[in-house]
C-alpha cells in the first residue's frame, strides 16, 4: 500500500523541474455516466450521509473491529462528516498496484466490474506535480504529515538514549548504516526496502515481510533487531521492549510526505467544504487529539 501510493510520488517528483512544466493536458472525460461522478455537496447534505473510502486492514489508520470502523482516518472522516452535518459511511477498499489505479477505481470512474466512486477518499499522498497527471481528481484537505522511522529492540541497543532529541532521534539508536551488520525488517517493495537496497545493496541485512505490521511482529519475536517504515505504523505496533525514533535519513528524498483527501474534479464545492473542515480541525487541535488517542505522534501537514 505504501509502495502503491508513495512510489508514485517519487516518480512524480522527478518528472519536471518546475510544477507541471512538461505536462500536456489530456482530453477531459466526456459523457461520464452519472453513477461514476458521485454527488454534489447539496445532494449529500439533502440525503444525510457521505461515503468515505478508506483502506481495509490498515491499522492504525483504518480497520474494522466487530463491524465497527476504527482508526485515525476513520476519525478524520467523522470530523469532516460532522462539519458537513451528515452521517459518515465508510467503504473499506483494497490497495491497487498504483495510486492512480486506486483513484480511478474509487474516486473518478469506478472499477470496470461492479465498481462505483465514493464521495471522498482518505490517506491520499499529496504531491503538486502528481496532481498535474491526474486531472480528474481534486486533492485537498491535507490533514497530516507522515515520515519514515525506525523501531528497534532496546535490548539490542542498550546504549540508546530513550528520550528523543528535537529532531526525533534517539542518540545511540540504530540508523540505516547499522543495517549492514544488524538485521532489519521492512515491508516488501516499500520505500524503506528500496532505500536500503539502493544505498547498501546486497550488504544490507534485510528481512522482507508482507506488511509493516508483520515486520513489527517479527521484531517482537526477535527475528530482527529493527524495523524501518512509516512512523505511525511503527508506533502502533511497538510493545514492551521496543522503542521508535525518527532519525535523519541522508539521501532519502521522500522520507516525509503529506496526506490528504481526494474527490472527483467535478465537485469542487465539496472540496472547498472538506478543506475548510480540515483546516478548522487542525487549528483547534481535534486532529492532533485523534493521533494522541491512538498513542501516535502527530506531524502537522504542509498546507
Amino acid at each position: 500500500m505504501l509502495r502503491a501510493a508513495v512510489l508514485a510520488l517519487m516518480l512524480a517528483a522527478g518528472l519536471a523541474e518546475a510544477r507541471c512544466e512538461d505536462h500536456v493536458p489530456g482530453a477531459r472525460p466526456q459523457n461520464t455516466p452519472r453513477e461514476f461522478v458521485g454527488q454534489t455537496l447539496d445532494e449529500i447534505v439533502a440525503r444525510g450521509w457521505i461515503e468515505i473510502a478508506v483502506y481495509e486492514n490498515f491499522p492504525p489508520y483504518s480497520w474494522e473491529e466487530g463491524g465497527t470502523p476504527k482508526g485515525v482516518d476513520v476519525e478524520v472522516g467523522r470530523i469532516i462528516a460532522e462539519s458537513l452535518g451528515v452521517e459518515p459511511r465508510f467503504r473499506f477498499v483494497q490497495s491497487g498496484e498504483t495510486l492512480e489505479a486506486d483513484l480511478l477505481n474509487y474516486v473518478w470512474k469506478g472499477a470496470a466490474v461492479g465498481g462505483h466512486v465514493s464521495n471522498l477518499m482518505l490517506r491520499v499522498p499529496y504531491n503538486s506535480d502528481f496532481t498535474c497527471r491526474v486531472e480528474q481528481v481534486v486533492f485537498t484537505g491535507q490533514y497530516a504529515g507522515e515520515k519514515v522511522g525506525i523501531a528497534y529492540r532496546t535490548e539490542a541497543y542498550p546504549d540508546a538514549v530513550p528520550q528523543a532529541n528535537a529532531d526525533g532521534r534517539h542518540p545511540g539508536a540504530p540508523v540505516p548504516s547499522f543495517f549492514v551488520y544488524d538485521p532489519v525488517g521492512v515491508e516488501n517493495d516499500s520505500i524503506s526496502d528500496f532505500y536500503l537496497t539502493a544505498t547498501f545493496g546486497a550488504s544490507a541485512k534485510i528481512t522482507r515481510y508482507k506488511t509493516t505490521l508483520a515486520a513489527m511482529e517479527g521484531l517482537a519475536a526477535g527475528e530482527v533487531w529493527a524495523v524501518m517504515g512509516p512512523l505511525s505504523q511503527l508506533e502502533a505496533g511497538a510493545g514492551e521492549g521496543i522503542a521508535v525514533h525518527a532519525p535523519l535519513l541522508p539521501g532519502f528524498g521522500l522520507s516525509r510526505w503529506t496526506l490528504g483527501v481526494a474527490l472527483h474534479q467535478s465537485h469542487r464545492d465539496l472540496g472547498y467544504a472538506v478543506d475548510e473542515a480540515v483546516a478548522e480541525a487542525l487549528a483547534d487541535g481535534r486532529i492532533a487529539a485523534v493521533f494522541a488517542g491512538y498513542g501516535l505522534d502527530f506531524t502537522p501537514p504542509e498546507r
Side-chain angles (χ1 to χ4, degrees), residues 16 45 67 95 100 129 139 151 160 172 199 204 237 242 261 273:
V45 172
S95 173
E100 288 167 300
D129 292 316
F139 299 84
T199 304
I242 296 174
V261 182

Side-chain angles (χ1 to χ4, degrees), residues 201-214:
S203 298
K205 292 189 174 181
I206 301 173
T207 299
R208 295 173 175 86
Y209 294 84
K210 184 176 180 180
T211 65
T212 300
L213 178 60

Side-chain angles (χ1 to χ4, degrees), residues 156-202:
Y157 300 96
D159 296 330
V161 176
Q163 297 298 321
N165 288 337
D167 62 5
R169 177 179 175 179
H170 296 182
V175 294
S177 59
F178 284 37
F179 304 138
V180 174
Y181 308 99
D182 301 344
V184 61
V186 297
E187 179 178 334
N188 187 45
D189 284 349
S190 66
I191 58 172
S192 297
D193 185 1
F194 285 118
Y195 172 72
L196 292 175
T197 302
T199 304
F200 303 108

